[in-house]
Amino acid sequence: MSNFSTDLPLNILSVIKRDNPKAKESNSSLSGLECPVCHKKEAWAYTDKPFAIICNRVNNCGERTLTKQLYPDLWQDLAKRYPPTLTDKKATARAYLESRSLKPELIEFEQSIKANHQTLVIEQDGVTFERLIDYQDKSGSGKNRLTAYKGKVFKTKSFDTTKEVFITEGILDALSWEQSGKAAIATYSSGSVPKEFYEANKDKHFIICFDNDIAGHKGINKTIECFKELGINYKVALLPKCKDTNDCLISGLLDAEKIEQTIDKAFFQGRLFQSESAQEYFEIYRDYHSKTNSLIFEFRGQTYKGYIKTTEKNGDEPKTALLIDCTIKLLHSVIDDSIDDIQKMEHYIEIESSREGKSHFRLDADSLAKLDSFKSTLQNHRQIFYGKAEDLNHLSKYLFNNRPAKIRALNTLGFDDKTGGFYFPKFAYNSEGKRINCNGDKYFTESNIKPFHGSSDVLINRLEQMDLKQFITDLHAAYGNKGSLALGFYVSATFSHLIFEHYGFFPFLSLYGDPHAGKSFLTKTLNRCFFVDGEGQTMTSSNTAKGELRKISQKSSMVCCLLEGRTGKSRFDYDGILALYNRNSLYSRATTDQTNRTHDLPFKAALSFVWNHEAFTIQPAKERVISLHFAESDMNDNTAAAWEKLNELSPEQLASVGDYVLTNKTRIEGELISWAKDFSKTLKEKGIKTARIADNHTIALAGIFRLLES
């Protein structure tokens, strides 16, 4: 027998405790958890059934977040963990039912193989339902397979003995009601209306409980039309906070102590759904929430306000007025907290109307607070705001009450010190090295981070396979130890935040020497290895110094290549190099207020200079640079052949180097500092007396050797 039902709670508790190390555990609950919605540490979960994290802030949040949504991996790989055996040929299907909080012993089911997946099979009245287990298609389509079902329904065991029957779309939802003590049927899809079946069972009282989504709503309306035609008694139930009945079962909303309250709220939502007018909607709402004197709500594609008008003749009367001729939603808010003690926020808005369709735009705090500005923004999208200034305050509260995500905006590419991840516009690597993609709203759902889009660099977003060992071999064949040391510098630059934390500095790289000796080609190749498709930043007189410095500030734990071919002068003088070596600010400026505060432009990148004539000639500056000289005499037939092989590699293939480094970041960074210390000791023993020079080179050496070892 599968023991998934006992394994799962223990596994969930383990990861919840990992993510909430200060949580307090009692006999029945785990408290002090961070709510995934409001992020306050006032949530809790049952210890025996930790299938939802429940926020205690009832008035301000009160959300129940399914742990299945937070830790989906715990529900995956059932076929591997619970394969069928000679003694239990249904082990995988049994585990799947348990993963949906359904009791297998109450259900008649089989297990088979479909499309190379272990499959749950349920048959009734000639209809075969198949659920492919561990199916990974992100769209969700294809996971359920059904034979022809027109005019048929799936009936739970208590259907014939009970007058009140819930109607669901899916079999698992019907089984969820049955397990909770309620008779149910499934129509197999929201669009299916088994009219003959309903007519044959007109004595039943049906409760239409389809999924709370667009398809489900359309299905409800079709079924209502049928019931009105047949004269069948019915109610509509829209389950609160859950998409479908099985989600409610998993989250505990159908437990004995919760089910009646859940059904009562579902009936209330169903009555709202059936409102014939905005006025009726508001009156139904006030009937359920008697103390509500004002409300902003959506009705048939428009936004209304409900309010109480008090007159001497009629007393308190509920009234409604059109507020906006479209629906409006706050998708998420983006926070820029890059300047200490100053937080700026932009709100990303979605509006939709039958006339204009769907539009998206941004509002800063001022635009959301000022009536004329808000009206103007809406009219730019051909929508009208009919309200007054005070209505705008209520609308803001309405938008915020839906608890949209708060997204932190980054102002650099690369390493983010608050999460320990590396972020680029379309992809990222989390603190554990897992590659994740940006969502459709252009932020990372896993960390609620909006990546930096202001860089002028062309980034490589796609990966192709490449033989990493062969690449390193060819790089060495083309450039010798210089190529290996330069690659090591790039690897260590990825972890420069850790190296700086230990040493208090991070060296610079200088590639200098004869024209056409391969400096630019090597730079472009290594940049591509770490997702940047280009040679670097040109240092020309047409640029402003501050503009160049700001570009440098846009990278964090990444190499910023500065290209300058002018003889005898550089934008980076002796004093500048001394400061940047220890990661002092690129520059400071006074803030716009009247205080004595300044705003510093931080420096978190690793600099590489590519030039024909190195400008670092003063000893203190030279001690801060790893200088690699390139000469035409280094070139021969063997190096030319290796160059050709490197030149054949696509940017997407080269980017797999950076992907490997970041995917294996925890392994590579693990002993990077200790390796650097060992190399430094060796170099000093070999005669390098200046500790700073030895440490600079050992940082690059540690990078290449950690890469080779991993």
Side-chain angles (χ1 to χ4, degrees):
M1 292 285 289
S2 163
N3 57 356
F4 180 85
S5 59
T6 55
D7 292 347
L8 182 61
L10 295 175
N11 291 334
I12 296 173
L13 280 177
S14 176
V15 293
I16 291 177
K17 289 177 182 178
R18 179 200 68 195
D19 293 345
N20 297 269
K22 295 184 179 181
K24 297 178 182 179
E25 185 173 0
S26 67
N27 291 333
S28 60
S29 66
L30 191 65
S31 60
L33 308 180
E34 180 177 328
C35 172
V37 178
C38 69
H39 301 290
K40 300 295 184 182
K41 296 188 177 182
E42 298 179 35
W44 61 280
Y46 291 106
T47 51
D48 59 338
K49 294 181 179 180
F51 302 129
I53 292 180
I54 305 160
C55 185
N56 248 349
R57 303 172 71 238
V58 178
N59 294 327
N60 295 312
C61 181
E63 291 288 335
R64 299 172 73 94
T65 305
L66 294 182
T67 48
K68 186 176 181 179
Q69 297 171 355
L70 302 175
Y71 311 109
D73 291 348
L74 298 181
W75 275 262
Q76 294 299 325
D77 296 325
L78 298 183
K80 290 182 180 179
R81 289 188 281 160
Y82 304 96
T85 64
L86 291 175
T87 56
D88 188 0
K89 296 181 180 180
K90 304 178 185 180
T92 311
R94 193 184 313 280
Y96 174 74
L97 288 171
E98 290 171 346
S99 77
R100 305 295 294 261
S101 293
L102 291 166
K103 297 176 181 178
E105 63 272 18
L106 302 178
I107 301 168
E108 296 177 5
F109 69 97
E110 297 294 333
Q111 181 172 331
S112 69
I113 295 178
K114 185 88 170 184
N116 296 320
H117 284 76
Q118 295 293 337
T119 304
L120 167 72
V121 181
I122 297 176
E123 294 183 292
Q124 190 183 106
D125 194 21
V127 179
T128 301
F129 165 78
E130 297 171 319
R131 175 59 164 89
L132 276 59
I133 300 170
D134 295 331
Y135 192 80
Q136 292 295 313
D137 191 307
K138 291 183 179 179
S139 68
S141 62
K143 63 185 178 183
N144 293 331
R145 310 290 171 89
L146 273 167
T147 58
Y149 57 84
K150 185 176 180 181
K152 295 184 178 182
V153 302
F154 173 87
K155 296 188 294 185
T156 57
K157 295 175 182 178
S158 58
F159 173 81
D160 292 327
T161 59
T162 309
K163 186 169 184 179
E164 187 175 76
V165 178
F166 283 81
I167 309 173
T168 68
E169 298 178 29
I171 288 176
L172 300 183
D173 295 322
L175 291 171
S176 298
W177 279 121
E178 173 85 353
Q179 186 170 298
S180 305
K182 306 293 182 181
I185 63 169
T187 61
Y188 299 109
S189 80
S190 59
S192 177
V193 182
K195 187 173 181 179
E196 291 182 5
F197 173 83
Y198 291 143
E199 192 166 18
N201 292 276
K202 293 174 68 172
D203 60 319
K204 301 287 186 182
H205 179 79
F206 288 106
I207 299 170
I208 310 171
C209 189
F210 289 163
D211 292 357
N212 198 356
D213 55 21
I214 293 174
H217 295 172
K218 289 181 179 178
I220 291 171
N221 287 328
K222 286 179 68 176
T223 304
I224 288 174
E225 287 179 14
C226 175
F227 285 177
K228 286 181 176 179
E229 179 186 336
L230 297 176
I232 293 176
N233 290 323
Y234 70 91
K235 281 186 177 181
V236 174
L238 286 177
L239 290 166
K241 299 184 182 296
C242 295
K243 178 180 177 294
D244 57 34
T245 308
N246 188 248
D247 275 355
C248 283
L249 180 72
I250 293 172
S251 67
L253 289 175
L254 298 187
D255 289 351
E257 66 275 13
K258 289 280 187 180
I259 188 169
E260 294 307 323
Q261 182 182 3
T262 299
I263 292 174
D264 179 61
K265 288 183 178 179
F267 284 153
F268 162 63
Q269 297 283 358
R271 292 197 300 275
L272 289 178
F273 174 80
Q274 297 175 86
S275 302
E276 294 293 332
S277 65
Q279 181 71 26
E280 183 183 357
Y281 185 103
F282 184 48
E283 289 175 357
I284 290 172
Y285 192 94
R286 288 198 75 244
D287 184 53
Y288 193 80
H289 298 283
S290 57
K291 294 183 180 180
T292 300
N293 289 327
S294 64
L295 179 71
I296 292 178
F297 60 94
E298 294 178 6
F299 184 78
R300 295 186 179 175
Q302 297 183 314
T303 303
Y304 290 82
K305 66 173 181 178
Y307 61 98
I308 298 300
K309 183 177 181 179
T310 304
T311 63
E312 196 172 308
K313 179 180 179 181
N314 299 319
D316 292 343
E317 283 187 286
K319 297 285 186 179
T320 57
L322 180 62
L323 201 59
I324 318 175
D325 59 346
C326 63
T327 60
I328 184 167
K329 181 190 299 182
L330 175 52
L331 298 175
H332 56 269
S333 299
V334 175
I335 303 166
D336 180 2
D337 57 358
S338 57
I339 301 178
D340 290 343
D341 302 326
I342 299 175
Q343 178 172 291
K344 294 183 178 180
M345 187 174 290
E346 283 189 328
H347 306 294
Y348 284 67
I349 304 292
E350 176 183 278
I351 58 175
E352 184 173 8
S353 74
S354 57
R355 184 184 70 240
E356 302 296 336
K358 190 179 291 187
S359 299
H360 296 88
F361 55 87
R362 288 180 292 173
L363 287 175
D364 59 21
D366 286 343
S367 297
L368 189 57
K370 295 178 180 177
L371 181 61
D372 289 342
S373 179
F374 184 72
K375 278 188 171 183
S376 176
T377 301
L378 279 182
Q379 289 191 1
N380 280 330
H381 294 269
R382 291 167 47 119
Q383 304 293 167
I384 301 173
F385 182 72
Y386 296 94
K388 301 176 182 178
E390 59 265 29
D391 295 324
L392 196 55
N393 292 331
H394 293 302
L395 180 64
S396 297
K397 183 179 179 181
Y398 164 76
L399 294 174
F400 296 151
N401 279 349
N402 289 326
R403 291 181 284 277
K406 292 181 182 178
I407 312 301
R408 182 166 60 89
L410 300 183
N411 56 7
T412 59
L413 295 175
F415 180 69
D416 171 48
D417 55 4
K418 291 185 179 180
T419 63
F422 285 78
Y423 293 89
F424 305 92
K426 293 186 178 180
F427 63 94
Y429 296 83
N430 67 14
S431 60
E432 297 174 352
K434 178 184 175 184
R435 184 177 168 111
I436 53 179
N437 293 318
C438 212
N439 64 21
D441 291 325
K442 297 182 180 180
Y443 71 90
F444 294 98
T445 309
E446 182 179 289
S447 52
N448 277 357
I449 281 180
K450 186 175 183 63
F452 179 64
H453 288 271
S455 172
S456 59
D457 286 309
V458 177
L459 295 175
I460 303 166
N461 300 308
R462 192 168 55 84
L463 300 173
E464 292 179 3
Q465 289 187 342
M466 180 184 72
D467 187 334
L468 180 55
K469 290 182 180 179
Q470 186 61 50
F471 165 74
I472 295 173
T473 300
D474 293 337
L475 186 70
H476 188 268
Y479 290 100
N481 291 335
K482 293 192 294 288
S484 299
L485 200 62
L487 176 58
F489 178 85
Y490 272 73
V491 173
S492 288
T494 307
F495 307 102
S496 60
H497 50 283
L498 297 177
I499 293 170
F500 178 77
E501 186 178 324
H502 176 78
Y503 283 101
F505 65 83
F506 192 83
F508 305 106
L509 179 67
S510 174
L511 309 182
Y512 74 100
D514 298 340
H516 313 298
K519 304 184 301 295
S520 296
F521 179 77
L522 175 61
T523 297
K524 192 169 186 177
T525 298
L526 295 179
N527 283 344
R528 285 175 169 176
C529 286
F530 290 84
F531 314 114
V532 177
D533 193 4
E535 290 183 28
Q537 179 177 322
T538 55
M539 308 287 284
T540 65
S541 57
S542 60
N543 299 338
T544 66
K546 281 190 175 181
E548 290 174 346
L549 292 175
R550 287 187 181 182
K551 282 190 173 183
I552 293 171
S553 75
Q554 292 172 358
K555 291 183 178 177
S556 174
S557 289
M558 292 180 68
V559 176
C560 183
C561 295
L562 307 180
L563 314 177
E564 187 165 5
R566 293 172 291 166
T567 304
K569 70 176 185 177
S570 167
R571 289 193 184 278
F572 288 85
D573 59 14
Y574 166 79
D575 293 330
I577 283 297
L578 287 179
L580 296 181
Y581 181 73
N582 300 103
R583 291 202 163 172
N584 291 308
S585 300
L586 288 161
Y587 70 79
S588 296
R589 62 173 174 80
T591 57
T592 56
D593 56 28
Q594 299 302 310
T595 67
N596 64 347
R597 295 188 306 170
T598 60
H599 171 58
D600 297 331
L601 191 67
F603 172 62
K604 299 179 181 179
L607 290 182
S608 172
F609 297 88
V610 185
W611 40 23
N612 295 336
H613 305 280
E614 185 174 54
F616 302 141
T617 56
I618 302 173
Q619 186 62 29
K622 291 173 69 175
E623 290 180 1
R624 288 156 172 79
V625 181
I626 301 171
S627 292
L628 303 178
H629 180 259
F630 290 73
E632 284 192 70
S633 59
D634 295 336
M635 301 171 62
N636 54 49
D637 291 343
N638 291 332
T639 59
W643 273 20
E644 286 300 321
K645 292 175 72 174
L646 292 173
N647 195 42
E648 291 173 358
L649 296 170
S650 69
E652 291 76 18
Q653 287 176 304
L654 290 169
S656 65
V657 176
D659 176 74
Y660 181 85
V661 170
L662 290 176
T663 301
N664 294 275
K665 63 187 290 292
T666 55
R667 190 147 48 103
I668 294 175
E669 71 188 9
E671 298 181 16
L672 191 63
I673 301 298
S674 61
W675 276 57
K677 288 181 178 179
D678 290 342
F679 281 128
S680 180
K681 182 179 179 182
T682 301
L683 289 180
K684 291 170 185 175
E685 290 173 352
K686 295 289 185 181
I688 297 179
K689 301 302 182 184
T690 305
R692 183 177 289 147
I693 294 175
D695 289 339
N696 289 342
H697 288 74
T698 57
I699 286 170
L701 284 171
I704 186 61
F705 276 93
R706 285 300 290 155
L707 177 61
L708 290 171
E709 186 194 43
S710 65

